[in-house]
Each structure stands twice: as structure tokens, then as C-alpha cells.
Amino acid sequence: MAGRYGRPRSVLRMRTVAGQVFLLQLAIVVLLVAAAMVALVLQSRSDSEREAKNRSVAVAETFANSPGIEAALKAANPTLVLQPRAEEARIRSGVDFIVVLNTEGIRYTHPLPDRIGKKFVGNLQPALAGEVTTEKIIGTIGPLVQAVVPVIDSNGKVVGLVSAGITIEHVSGVVEDQFPLLFGATGAVLLVTTGGTALVSRRLRRQTHGLGPLEMTRMYEHHDAVLHAVREGVLIVGGDGRLLLANDEARRLLALPDHVEGVPVTELGLDPLTARLLASGRTATDELHVVGDRLLAVNQRSTDQAGGPPGSVATLRDTTELQALTGKADVARGRLKLLYDAGTEIGTTLDVVRTCEELAEFGAARFADYATVDLVEAVLRGEEPPVTGVGTDMRRTAFSGLREDTALYPLGKLIRFVPSTPLGFGIRMGEAVLEADLSAYTGWQDQDPDRARKLVEYGIHSMIAVPLRARGVILGVAMFWRSEKPEPFEEEDLSLAEELVARAAVSVDNARRYTREHTMAVTLQRSLLPRVLPEQNALDVAYRYRPAQAGLGGLGGVGGDWFDIIPLPGARVALVVGDVVGHGLHAAATMGRLRTAVHNFSTLDLPPDELLWHLDELVARIDQDEAGDGSAGSNGSDASVTGATCVYAIYDPVSGICSMARAGHLQPAIVHADGTAVFADVPGGPPLGLGGLPFETLELQLPEDSRLVLYTDGLVEDRDRDIDEGLTLLRHTLADSADRSPEETCEAVLKALLPQRPRDDIALLVGSTRVLDSSRVADWDVPPDPAAVRRVRAAVTHKLAEWELEEEAFTTELILSELVTNAIRYATGPIRVRLIRDRTLICEVSDHSSTSPHLRQAATTDEGGRGLFLVAQFADRWGTRYTPDGKVIWTEQPLNSGGE
């Protein structure tokens, strides 16, 4: 650059500005370093004196308050006792002397023995008055600080004095020893700052390009000429928000007066938006601002991005001729944004009414002053609406507006649109209707003349009605009304309303279809779950079922969790809880199939492990059938049942034994009467449908008032909670609810564990055990002798008399006679008869034979074969239950109310 202006690169000239700056900065650094060193030395001396004072006072007070000092002062020869102790304390504390005095100032101790017994030099009056005094003196060992402390006896009387002193040189020696390090650090700082100053000078030399004053003046003139010749306004604003420079074009565009440099931009008379932009210094690119009758494109950048001074530079370009085009672009952009926002705010749920409310709220807030939505009643029920809206009644479903007291039809009103009106004709044809001026009464008022007049008097002056049409059918009509906005609806507004309603109609139709599917699935599911609890005396049972939250998994509210309470022969009860993975119709239907299968298998009176084995075989066959059909779920996924889990428990109130088995399900919980809650260690089996692995049964003895809790994983597992944490919380909740009823326990468990938005179905079953009183059970061992049948009949008759069931004696004798006779004739091993009085009278005959009798119709010429037929006729129910060592043939006889 220097060569460009014809000036040789003289080293002396190059150092004229930068060199002076370098020397000035170097001198300032040296002065600062020197001042810092002086301040350090002075501070060191001050600190030395303060340290000497503090140490001497501390040592004197410590020695004056040491044990035995008072007794030593009162001794016959205080020096003999105190001199060695004072010298030892002086050496350990690092002071120069410790002197003990009497109240007259005569020394008892001194580092120099020849000074013992002489008068102490110093001010003793404050110490004799009970105060601690310090003073700086010039002693024989140099400048020192000494402290005098009184020795006060138990009566508060000063009986002696202790003085300790240390020379300032002794204290300051530690700091002075560090002066070489300090001077070295100072030299390093000086070198670093000198290097930094040199770099700054070099940068200054590089920024000025080595130019002298003449060349820089010439360059400024050139820049100034260019600045004022360009046809763009240029403004430079300082970091404090004041205008530093404005070229001629900027003055013209902004109509600035002369001499505005230094004035804050907020005081230039500009419009607030432009003034805020210039004062803020934020980055702006082609930002449009209206200034007077001009439309200016403003670009603004910060001036300190590359190390420059704080502030900003803005350029202004006149784009007034593009104002009209920009206005149209803004309108188009606004309409696009409105439609985009509508897509995000309308149809957020699969609820028909809520979707209509969102459309009305959005339309009233962003497009009109009032908005209403009327739907065909079939749509509200989830049914398919007619192809056209001719003769169709519509229900006002949503309303939104500035006020509530309008003349518009209220919510819930059933409306029949007159076909001869423009609106009725438009609905029939599926076309939108625009009434720009309602006060003209162009025929729209024929729908309801009185209400039309009130609408106009209210101030509503313009209306657009657009049919809600989706997939070729009319779902309803959306109407937009203006009253506060003075401008009437135009054709462009009509097209915008049609686009808005068309998008909303798809959401309404989706919600309608969802409502239909959901209603069907809920109906199916409710028909498959238990409606009421069966009558039984073995358990006091309560249950809860909570569907998943809609929208969180398939058809929220319809899942595959199920539970059941099944009465079994012998006063026993089976509790079942199962879970089919997934949601929707397929999960609900599969749940129904499995629940029915469990009911059927339970009639065979199988133990829990065998029942789960049969259920596993059934699920495997179902999967094979569906795989062979190539069927898939509603979402296109595999519709197999694999993944279903189940836990099956049988409780016997006579013995108090509970048998349990599970297939991939969570462990049942047991709550004992003392409040202890544990998880039953039921052997784990695979989920249903996998096959190949056996199931095992766990038998537990449950005392009366124990709680058996079965549940599905939705209760303890959640998106925000680990399953182990959920199980721990369940166990603690059950332990805290040990004294509550099953109903109260269910409520407590749901309150503690139910997620705010359940993502999975929840089934909970709580049963409180009851034990049948021994007085209601009677049993007898029967020898294999036909003569024993008579004795059994007699014993049973006697027991029934005790139970006041004499009316049942004849039937019971007949049943037992046939069953015992068959056991003696055909069975092997010990024979046992048991009579149970529960809701029914239960007769059981057990033996060690695995052969089950079959009911058959005897011919007229047969001599036998009628016994079991008679048993079936007289008993309400009968059947066979196999045991590990044989079988049990049972019957049930109904009892009247008096026999309960």
C-alpha cells in the first residue's frame, strides 16, 4: 500500500505511529509493574507488623492463662518455676522473648538471665487495669512489637503480667525471602506484556498499511466521495445507539435534518419499528419497513464481528415500486400459514366433537368472529352418513365466538335446513355459499326469518357456509360469521374457507370411522368380560379393569387383558388373569376365545398346570390356522396370539390350599393377615403358544383373611417406571392395605400405581380367603364291603339332621348309595365319602381308580346301568375330578334359603 502511493518503505517512517504507541504502552506497563512492586513492599511491611502484633498477643495470652501461672507468681521464688517454662514456650512459639513481671514491673523471667529482677521497659498501666496492650518500640535487638497481658486470679485481681515480643525483621524475613521469586515473576510479566504490546503495535501497523497522514487523508476523501455518491442509504450507529454517520441517500430516504450525528436513533423521528431495528444492532437481511410513503429494504450488520468497534452499519434500499407486489405476497403467505396452522391445530384427537370444536375455535380466532359446525346425527354416532344432505337433520355440535349471547342456534339444537334457501341448496349440491351482505336478505333469511332479523340487528353482516365433505359424503356444514371485522367476506375468503373445511372434514371423517371401530370393539370387549361376580363363599373378591388411554396404542380403550372368577366343584373357586399382547378388535376377539377356552377346560376340573398345557395347545393351533390363512392384523402386522400370558389359581376353602400355575405371567402377590406382602414363587412357564415346555403348579396353605392378588403388567410397568420399581411399589401398597377390604385394596392400588395416561390395559383381581368351618364338613372312610353302604347312609342322615337338612336326606341317601356301591364294586383302594354344606349340598366319593363312570340309557331288559342315571336326575350337577392318586365323583344338590 505504501508503494502504491509512491512512498518508500522507511523503517523510521513505519515506526512513527506504531513505534510511539509501542513505547507509550511499554512505559505504562513498566510504571504499573513498579507501582505494584512498591505496593507489595509496603503491604509486606504492614502485614509484618500486624503478624508480629498478633503473634506476640497470642503467645502472651496463652502463657498468662497456662495452668500453674497464678501459683508460681505467689510462690517464694517465681523465677525458679517460671524461667524454664518461659524459655521453653519462647523457643516453641518462635518469639524473641517471654517476660513474666510482677505488678510493679520487676522481671521474673528473661532470655538474658542478667536482666531478671530489673525494671521492665514499656507501658504497663493498661495491663494493670486488666487490658491487653501492644506497642512498637526500638529495643536492643532492633524494631519490635511487644504485648503485655495481665494475669488475673480467681478473684479477678491482677497478680502479675506477661509480656511477649518479636522483632519485625524476624516476621518479615519470610516475605523478603520470596522477593527473588516476586521479581522473577515481575520480569516475566514485563516480558509477556512487552510481547503483547509489540503484537498490538504490529496489528496497528498492519491496519494502517504503513500509510502516513497524507495518504490516510487522501483515502478518507475517496471513501467519503463514494459513500455519498451511491444510491443506497448508509447509516453507521455506535454501540451506544447514537448515529455516527449518515450518507446523503440515507438522509433523503429517512428525511433526516442536518447535524444529526451523535443523536440517538430513537430520537430521529423514525417509525418505532425502524428505530428499534437500528438501535438494537441485530442482523437483518432485506427486512421491509414502511417509512413515510416509501417501502425500504433494510440490511444491517454488526461492525464488531472482525474486531471492529461496537455498533452496526445499515443500508437502505428504496423498494416502493414493489409494495403492491409485496402486499399480495404477504396475503398469500398469510393464507398458507393459516392453512398450515390449521393442519396442526385441527384434528389433534380422534374425537368427532372435539375435532369440530377445534375447527370452530380456529375459524373464530383466525378467520371470522364466529364459527359454528353442524353435523349429521349419524356421524355423531359413528355411522355412515347419506351421500347428500337432502332432508337430513343436523345437530349443532360446536360454537366459538367473541360472545355467547348471539342469535345463532345454540349448541345441541337440531337443525333442518330448508332446501329452497341458498344454504339448503348448497348443502344438497355439496357447494359452499357466500353471503357477503346479510342485510340484503337475498333469500338466506327464509331458513328462520325472525332469527335472521336478530342476527342482522346483532351486527353480523357477512357469512360463509361450507359443507363438510369427505370421501364423497356430506358430514355436516361449517359456517363462518363476521360482525366485529368490518370487511365482508370475499371470493378469496370463500376459497380459503373451502380449503380449511376440506382439511378439517378429513379429520372429522377419520374420527367418525375411529368412533365406529371403537364402539364395535368396546361392545365386543364388554360382552366378553364378566358382567357380575358369580356367587361363591370361598373368596371375597373385588376387581378393577382399566383400558389403555386412547391414541397410545391401537384403539385405546380396547385391549386383550381379561380376568375371571369361576366356581368349581367342592366349594372351590378358580381365579384367572390373562393378557393378550396388542389392542383392537383382534386382541379383544382373541381374549374372548381364550376366556371361553378357560371356562371349558375348568369344567373338566383340571389342575392348573394341565389346564395351561391345554390352553397352550389351543393357542398353538390358533396360530397355525391364522398363519395358514395368511391373515394379518388391522395394521398389517402378524395377527398370531403368541405373546399371550395367563395365571390360573384354584382355592379350596375346605383345606385352605391354593394351587397356582402361570404361563409367562407376573407372579401373584400374597398378603398375609399380619400385613406381610410377598410374591408367590410360582414356577415360570413360557407364554402361551410357544409349546415344548411344561408348566408347574405351586401349592400354598393360605390362612383365613389372606389376600390373593392377580394383575397384568400394565399395572406395574409404564413408560416412565421400570417394572421392578412398580413391583416394589405394589408390594408396599398391599402391605399398607392389609386391614382393608378387597374393594378398598383395589382403590388403594390403583391410586398408587395407575399411570396418568395408561399405555396398556390393566386388570386387577383381589380375593380375600375364607376357610369353611369344620362343622360344615363331614367325611367317612368306607371299607370295601357292601354292608358298609347302610352305615354310610345312617351317618349321612344323622349329619343332615344336625344341619337341619332333613328334607335332603332321602335324595342324599339315594345318591350316596349308588356312588358308594359303584366304588365298592368297580374301584380299588380306600374309599372315602365327604359331605360339604356350602351354597349347595356337595357329596363326594373318592377312590384310587382312574376309571370314570359314564352315563348311559339302560334298556328295559338290562338288570343294571340305571344308578348313575338316577344320580343325574336327582342331583343338580355331577361330575368327575381326577386326583394324583385316583378320582372323585361329586354331586351338588340345591338348598333352600333355610339351608344356607
Side-chain angles (χ1 to χ4, degrees):
M1 180 67 74
R4 182 181 302 173
Y5 285 91
R7 180 175 58 82
R9 292 182 177 273
S10 170
V11 176
L12 183 60
R13 293 289 300 276
M14 289 288 288
R15 295 169 55 189
T16 301
V17 178
Q20 291 179 1
V21 171
F22 172 73
L23 293 177
L24 177 61
Q25 292 181 343
L26 184 60
I28 293 173
V29 170
V30 171
L31 289 176
L32 290 175
V33 171
M37 289 298 300
V38 172
L40 181 63
V41 172
L42 294 178
Q43 182 65 34
S44 174
R45 292 181 177 178
S46 175
D47 292 343
S48 298
E49 292 182 8
R50 184 166 58 254
E51 174 62 21
K53 176 181 177 181
N54 294 337
R55 188 183 298 185
S56 60
V57 170
V59 172
E61 286 184 335
T62 302
F63 195 83
N65 294 303
S66 61
I69 186 70
E70 182 181 345
L73 288 172
K74 295 178 181 180
N77 189 358
T79 300
L80 181 63
V81 178
L82 295 175
Q83 175 67 10
R85 293 174 59 184
E87 285 302 295
E88 181 182 2
R90 178 185 66 81
I91 295 173
R92 290 188 176 183
S93 61
V95 297
D96 290 310
F97 65 85
I98 297 177
V99 176
V100 182
L101 318 170
N102 61 16
T103 56
E104 296 178 354
I106 303 302
R107 300 187 182 97
Y108 287 149
T109 67
H110 196 279
L112 300 177
D114 59 344
R115 298 190 182 184
I116 297 175
K118 296 181 179 181
K119 187 75 172 182
F120 178 78
V121 179
N123 184 13
L124 301 179
Q125 294 306 316
L128 293 174
E131 299 178 358
V132 176
T133 181
T134 61
E135 57 183 338
K136 179 180 177 182
I137 62 174
I138 305 297
T140 58
I141 58 177
L144 58 86
V145 175
Q146 66 181 12
V148 181
V149 177
V151 179
I152 302 173
D153 63 5
S154 59
N155 297 322
K157 180 180 178 182
V158 178
V159 298
L161 304 173
V162 176
S163 175
I166 185 171
T167 60
I168 296 176
E169 180 181 2
H170 188 183
V171 177
S172 62
V174 176
V175 177
E176 293 174 354
D177 291 342
Q178 299 183 9
F179 276 162
L181 177 61
L182 296 176
F183 281 116
T186 302
V189 171
L190 185 59
L191 290 176
V192 171
T193 53
T194 302
T197 303
L199 292 176
V200 172
S201 301
R202 182 180 178 184
R203 179 177 178 85
L204 177 61
R205 185 168 60 249
R206 185 170 61 251
Q207 288 182 343
T208 58
H209 301 287
L211 297 178
L214 181 61
E215 290 82 0
M216 295 185 67
T217 300
R218 186 183 305 166
M219 180 179 291
Y220 172 78
E221 292 173 350
H222 290 169
H223 289 176
D224 187 65
V226 173
L227 179 66
H228 293 286
V230 296
R231 298 305 299 170
E232 281 195 0
V234 178
L235 296 174
I236 299 179
V237 181
D240 57 356
R242 296 180 179 273
L243 182 64
L244 301 181
L245 182 145
N247 70 347
D248 294 340
E249 182 67 8
R251 294 173 185 272
R252 184 184 69 84
L253 295 176
L254 300 178
L256 298 177
D258 296 335
H259 309 297
V260 294
E261 285 77 6
V263 178
V265 293
T266 55
E267 300 177 7
L268 295 178
L270 304 176
D271 67 281
L273 189 60
T274 306
R276 282 198 300 269
L277 171 62
L278 297 177
S280 66
R282 64 177 175 84
T283 300
T285 302
D286 288 336
E287 193 170 303
L288 297 178
H289 288 260
V290 178
V291 179
D293 58 350
R294 294 185 176 89
L295 185 66
L296 304 181
V298 182
N299 290 272
Q300 183 167 268
R301 296 292 184 273
S302 175
T303 58
D304 59 358
Q305 293 180 352
S312 61
V313 57
T315 60
L316 314 174
R317 186 172 67 256
D318 190 358
T319 58
T320 305
E321 64 278 4
L322 300 177
Q323 184 173 6
L325 181 60
T326 303
K328 293 181 180 180
D330 288 342
V331 172
R333 184 166 56 250
R335 292 178 182 274
L336 289 175
K337 186 177 187 305
L338 186 142
L339 293 176
Y340 173 78
D341 292 342
T344 59
E345 298 181 24
I346 300 175
T348 59
T349 65
L350 287 174
D351 183 85
V352 173
V353 175
R354 181 56 193 155
T355 303
C356 293
E357 291 174 348
E358 290 172 346
L359 172 59
E361 292 169 0
F362 185 86
R366 303 284 296 275
F367 181 63
D369 296 320
Y370 298 92
T372 61
V373 180
D374 307 320
L375 289 184
V376 178
E377 286 202 282
V379 175
L380 292 172
R381 297 192 298 266
E383 301 172 1
E384 194 75 20
V387 177
T388 65
V390 178
T392 301
D393 294 339
M394 294 189 185
R395 183 78 63 180
R396 176 134 298 176
T397 308
F399 167 84
S400 182
L402 301 176
R403 296 171 57 183
E404 298 290 337
D405 56 339
T406 67
L408 296 170
Y409 288 118
L411 278 175
K413 173 71 175 178
L414 186 63
I415 306 170
R416 176 178 289 273
F417 293 99
V418 179
S420 60
T421 62
L423 180 56
F425 180 79
I427 294 175
R428 184 180 63 182
M429 302 302 296
E431 298 176 352
V433 177
L434 168 63
E435 292 288 346
D437 185 8
L438 294 177
S439 61
Y441 296 110
T442 57
W444 67 274
Q445 73 279 3
D446 295 340
Q447 173 70 31
D448 191 336
D450 292 339
R451 192 175 295 273
R453 185 178 64 257
K454 293 178 181 179
L455 283 174
V456 175
E457 292 175 354
Y458 184 79
I460 297 178
H461 59 80
S462 190
M463 181 269 291
I464 289 178
V466 183
L468 280 159
R469 186 167 186 167
R471 300 177 178 92
V473 295
I474 302 296
L475 307 176
V477 61
M479 289 183 280
F480 306 96
W481 316 79
R482 278 187 179 174
S483 62
E484 300 298 326
K485 294 181 175 63
E487 62 275 6
F489 286 119
E490 301 175 349
E491 290 295 333
E492 292 183 354
D493 296 319
L494 181 63
S495 62
L496 178 62
E498 288 179 324
E499 181 68 22
L500 176 63
V501 174
R503 298 189 180 193
V506 175
S507 297
V508 172
D509 192 55
N510 289 339
R512 177 191 65 82
R513 292 171 179 265
Y514 167 79
T515 300
R516 181 182 61 187
E517 295 274 332
H518 182 262
T519 302
M520 293 171 56
V522 168
T523 302
L524 173 63
Q525 182 198 38
R526 290 179 178 174
S527 67
L528 296 175
L529 288 175
R531 302 287 183 88
V532 295
L533 294 178
E535 294 182 355
Q536 48 83 29
N537 290 335
L539 294 168
D540 181 12
V541 182
Y543 67 90
R544 293 293 185 275
Y545 179 83
R546 293 293 183 271
Q549 182 71 34
L552 296 182
L555 295 170
V558 182
D561 290 14
W562 93 90
F563 63 92
D564 226 327
I565 302 101
I566 305 173
L568 297 177
R572 297 168 304 142
V573 173
L575 300 181
V576 191
V577 168
D579 184 3
V580 176
V581 176
H583 295 82
L585 285 172
H586 181 266
T590 302
M591 176 268 288
R593 297 168 76 178
L594 295 183
R595 179 171 179 255
T596 302
V598 171
H599 268 273
N600 291 334
F601 291 142
S602 66
T603 60
L604 301 177
D605 217 343
L606 301 174
D609 55 339
E610 292 187 24
L611 185 142
L612 290 182
W613 182 83
H614 285 288
L615 197 62
D616 180 68
E617 289 289 315
L618 174 65
V619 171
R621 288 197 300 271
I622 293 175
D623 286 345
Q624 292 174 0
D625 294 341
E626 293 188 348
D629 292 341
S631 61
S634 58
N635 58 356
S637 61
D638 183 14
S640 64
V641 188
T642 303
T645 64
C646 181
V647 58
Y648 185 83
I650 298 176
Y651 176 69
D652 186 352
V654 177
S655 63
I657 294 177
C658 181
S659 304
M660 294 176 282
R662 63 188 181 103
H665 206 83
L666 294 173
Q667 300 276 20
I670 304 295
V671 184
H672 298 288
D674 60 356
T676 305
V678 296
F679 291 106
D681 192 16
V682 183
L688 299 174
L690 295 182
L693 295 176
F695 301 97
E696 298 182 41
T697 297
L698 172 69
E699 289 191 354
L700 294 176
Q701 183 75 36
L702 297 182
E704 190 167 8
D705 293 330
S706 299
R707 302 290 170 82
L708 178 61
V709 182
L710 309 182
Y711 53 92
T712 56
D713 58 357
L715 180 67
V716 295
E717 188 175 21
D718 188 50
R719 184 176 184 179
D720 301 325
R721 182 179 61 206
D722 185 74
I723 189 170
D724 292 334
E725 180 183 352
L727 290 172
T728 302
L729 180 58
L730 173 62
R731 181 167 56 82
H732 291 324
T733 304
L734 292 175
D736 296 338
S737 307
D739 57 345
R740 301 180 182 179
S741 66
E743 285 287 342
E744 294 173 339
T745 301
C746 287
E747 289 298 325
V749 169
L750 289 186
K751 182 178 180 181
L753 283 90
L754 184 65
Q756 185 175 4
R757 293 176 61 86
R759 302 181 64 87
D760 195 7
D761 304 331
I762 295 174
L764 174 64
L765 198 58
V766 178
S768 178
T769 60
R770 299 168 179 167
V771 176
L772 202 62
D773 190 84
S774 59
S775 63
R776 301 170 69 92
V777 180
D779 54 0
W780 301 270
D781 290 327
V782 181
D785 181 5
V789 176
R790 181 176 57 83
R791 292 193 297 272
V792 170
R793 287 201 305 268
V796 168
T797 302
H798 179 71
K799 178 56 69 175
L800 291 178
E802 290 182 7
W803 290 345
E804 298 180 358
L805 297 177
E806 291 85 352
E807 295 180 359
E808 307 296 332
F810 175 75
T811 304
T812 307
E813 287 182 15
L814 177 61
I815 291 173
L816 286 178
S817 295
E818 293 297 333
L819 296 181
V820 172
T821 300
N822 282 341
I824 294 173
R825 180 177 299 177
Y826 303 109
T828 60
I831 301 172
R832 190 172 185 83
V833 173
R834 185 168 69 167
L835 205 61
I836 302 174
R837 179 191 175 190
D838 193 41
R839 290 181 175 272
T840 60
L841 183 61
I842 303 170
C843 301
E844 295 181 347
V845 177
S846 60
D847 56 55
H848 283 200
S849 172
S850 60
T851 302
S852 175
H854 297 282
L855 181 66
R856 66 186 180 88
Q857 185 73 35
T860 57
T861 58
D862 291 343
E863 295 183 0
R866 295 178 178 84
L868 199 57
F869 179 78
L870 293 176
V871 170
Q873 294 298 314
F874 285 101
D876 189 47
R877 298 172 60 212
W878 74 280
T880 304
R881 178 172 76 251
Y882 290 96
T883 62
D885 54 0
K887 69 176 183 298
V888 175
I889 301 177
W890 56 269
T891 65
E892 290 184 3
Q893 300 167 239
L895 298 177
N896 54 31
S897 59
E900 288 292 338

